[in-house]
C-alpha cells in the first residue's frame, strides 16, 4: 500500500493504483517463489522494510550474521557517503538517499489513499500481503479457502523438492504428491474465480532436479 503511494507520487512511474499494485504483486510473487525453494536450506534471509527503518541496527546485525560479515556502525551512516549524495542529486525519486533513515516512513497510505483505493490495492495484492505477514484493512474473505489451499500447496512443493533429491527412490512418492498438489491448485483456481495470478509453486521438472537452485 505504501509502495502504491510512492508510485503515484513519482513522475517516472506511469499508470495508476491498479498498475502499481499489480507491479508490487508480480515482484512479490517472484520473491516468494525463490523464498519457498531456498527457505529450508538456510540460504535466504527475509526482512521487512518496516523493521529495517524502525530498528535498523538490530535488523542489520541479524543480516550481517546471516551473511557472515562483521557489523560496523558506519553502515548506519550510509547517507554521509559521496555515492549517496550523488544518487540523491541524480533522481527526484532518490532524494532521501543522503538523509538519515526515516523511521516513520511507513503507513502513509492511511491518509494518502481513499478507502476505495485501499480496498482495490488489497483486492489485487491481498494474498501476497498475507503471506508476508501484513494485516489487511479489508480481509479477503472471498479468498480464505484459496489462501488455505495455497499454503498447503507450498508445503507440498517443499516436500517434492526434498524427495526429488533422492533420485528414483522418491519417484513414486513424487508422482503421488504431485497429483495431490495439482488437485489443490485446480480447486484453488476455481475458488479464486477471475483472479488466476496468485502465487503457484514452481512446477517440478524431474530432469532438472540435479541442478542446484
Amino acid at each position: 500500500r505504501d509502495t502504491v503511494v510512492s508510485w503515484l507520487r513519482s513522475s517516472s512511474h506511469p499508470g495508476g493504483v491498479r498498475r502499481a499494485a499489480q507491479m508490487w504483486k508480480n515482484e512479490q510473487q517472484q520473491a516468494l517463489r525463490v523464498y519457498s525453494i531456498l527457505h529450508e536450506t538456510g540460504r535466504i534471509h527475509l526482512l521487512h522494510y518496516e523493521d529495517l527503518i524502525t530498528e535498523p541496527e538490530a535488523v542489520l546485525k541479524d543480516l550481517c550474521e546471516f551473511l557472515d560479515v562483521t557489523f560496523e556502525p558506519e553502515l548506519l551512516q550510509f547517507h554521509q557517503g559521496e555515492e549517496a549524495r550523488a544518487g540523491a542529486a541524480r533522481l527526484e525519486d532518490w532524494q532521501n538517499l543522503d538523509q538519515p533513515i526515516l523511521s516513520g516512513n511507513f503507513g502513509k497510505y492511511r491518509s494518502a489513499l481513499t478507502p476505495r483505493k485501499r480496498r482495490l490495492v488489497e483486492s489485487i495484492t491481498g494474498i501476497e500481503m498475507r503471506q508476508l505477514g501484513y494485516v489487511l484493512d479489508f480481509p479477503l474473505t472471498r479468498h480464505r479457502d484459496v489462501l488455505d489451499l495455497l499454503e498447503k500447496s507450498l508445503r507440498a512443493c517443499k516436500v517434492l523438492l526434498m524427495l526429488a533429491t533422492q533420485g528414483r527412490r522418491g519417484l513414486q512418492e513424487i508422482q503421488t504428491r504431485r497429483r495431490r498438489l495439482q488437485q489443490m491448485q485446480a480447486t484453488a483456481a476455481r475458488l479464486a474465480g477471475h483472479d488466476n495470478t496468485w502465487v503457484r509453486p514452481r512446477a517440478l521438472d524431474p530432469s532438472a532436479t540435479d541442478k542446484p537452485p
Side-chain angles (χ1 to χ4, degrees):
R1 295 164 294 197
D2 281 330
T3 299
V4 170
V5 174
S6 297
W7 180 286
L8 295 176
R9 291 176 176 174
S10 172
S11 59
S12 59
H13 294 321
V17 171
R18 186 179 296 277
R19 179 170 183 180
Q22 189 63 52
M23 288 291 292
W24 184 89
K25 178 188 183 75
N26 294 344
E27 291 174 355
Q28 304 317 306
Q29 284 184 336
Q30 299 277 347
L32 285 166
R33 287 191 183 100
V34 175
Y35 185 78
S36 68
I37 294 170
L38 296 181
H39 175 60
E40 297 297 333
T41 69
R43 295 166 57 192
I44 193 167
H45 183 76
L46 176 67
L47 63 83
H48 287 83
Y49 167 78
E50 294 84 356
D51 295 334
L52 177 61
I53 64 174
T54 54
E55 298 182 279
E57 183 171 343
V59 171
L60 283 178
K61 283 182 176 178
D62 286 343
L63 179 59
C64 287
E65 182 178 354
F66 171 77
L67 296 173
D68 195 24
V69 298
T70 302
F71 170 80
E72 298 178 357
E74 289 77 10
L75 291 172
L76 298 172
Q77 307 304 321
F78 65 91
H79 57 285
Q80 297 178 357
E82 183 60 35
E83 186 176 354
R85 289 192 289 270
R90 189 176 302 124
L91 287 176
E92 181 182 357
D93 292 347
W94 297 353
Q95 60 184 339
N96 289 330
L97 280 179
D98 61 351
Q99 301 297 315
I101 293 175
L102 305 175
S103 60
N105 193 33
F106 67 97
K108 299 176 293 184
Y109 74 91
R110 293 187 177 91
S111 58
L113 297 178
T114 64
R116 182 177 180 180
K117 289 181 179 179
R118 281 158 36 207
R119 186 184 292 274
L120 172 60
V121 171
E122 292 187 5
S123 72
I124 296 171
T125 65
I127 291 177
E128 290 72 31
M129 288 178 64
R130 271 276 304 272
Q131 287 182 282
L132 292 168
Y134 290 103
V135 178
L136 303 182
D137 291 344
F138 305 96
L140 298 177
T141 55
R142 184 172 69 87
H143 290 303
R144 184 176 302 160
D145 292 335
V146 178
L147 290 169
D148 291 341
L149 284 167
L150 176 59
E151 291 170 359
K152 291 179 181 178
S153 67
L154 287 172
R155 289 196 297 270
C157 185
K158 292 178 183 178
V159 173
L160 287 176
L161 287 168
M162 179 185 67
L163 290 170
T165 63
Q166 301 177 8
R168 292 186 177 277
R169 290 180 299 174
L171 181 58
Q172 185 174 358
E173 184 67 18
I174 286 177
Q175 292 173 339
T176 300
R177 291 177 179 266
R178 194 175 184 180
R179 283 194 294 269
R180 293 176 186 170
L181 176 59
Q182 290 171 340
Q183 291 171 355
M184 284 190 290
Q185 290 178 335
T187 301
R190 288 196 299 272
L191 289 170
H194 69 282
D195 183 8
N196 60 359
T197 58
W198 54 280
V199 179
R200 296 174 183 270
R202 186 184 68 169
L204 284 178
D205 179 1
S207 65
T209 53
D210 293 332
K211 300 178 181 179

